[in-house]
């Protein structure tokens, strides 16, 4: 297993020997995305607040021992 690991590391190390060295004069592509992403054409989501269904308080009887 160790021999396999040494051969794999040597192949990775020697395999990158043909990589081109750039002088930095080449321009890299710039991203055209701005974060956070916003969708202007989508209508805003409306959050509905819950409304009480009754206007009077509901009292639930509880046993005296539970208090």
């Amino acid at each position: 297993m160790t021999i396999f690991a040494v051969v794999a590391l040597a192949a990775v190390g020697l395999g990158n020997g043909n990589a081109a060295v750039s002088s930095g004069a080449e321009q890299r592509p710039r991203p055209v995305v701005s974060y956070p992403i916003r969708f202007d054409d989508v209508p805003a989501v409306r959050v509905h607040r819950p409304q009480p269904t009754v206007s009077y308080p509901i009292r639930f009887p509880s046993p005296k021992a539970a208090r």
Side-chain angles (χ1 to χ4, degrees):
M1 191 62 134
T2 305
I3 295 171
F4 177 71
V6 170
V7 171
L9 287 174
V12 170
L14 296 175
N16 292 333
N18 294 335
V21 178
S22 63
S23 62
E26 300 173 8
Q27 292 183 355
R28 295 182 181 172
R30 293 185 179 165
V32 294
V33 179
S34 63
Y35 292 95
I37 298 174
R38 300 184 192 276
F39 299 100
D40 296 330
D41 299 338
V42 178
V45 177
R46 302 182 99 192
V47 178
H48 297 285
R49 295 177 58 188
Q51 298 292 328
T53 56
V54 295
S55 60
Y56 53 89
I58 300 174
R59 298 186 188 266
F60 295 98
S62 60
K64 300 269 183 187
R67 293 184 183 178

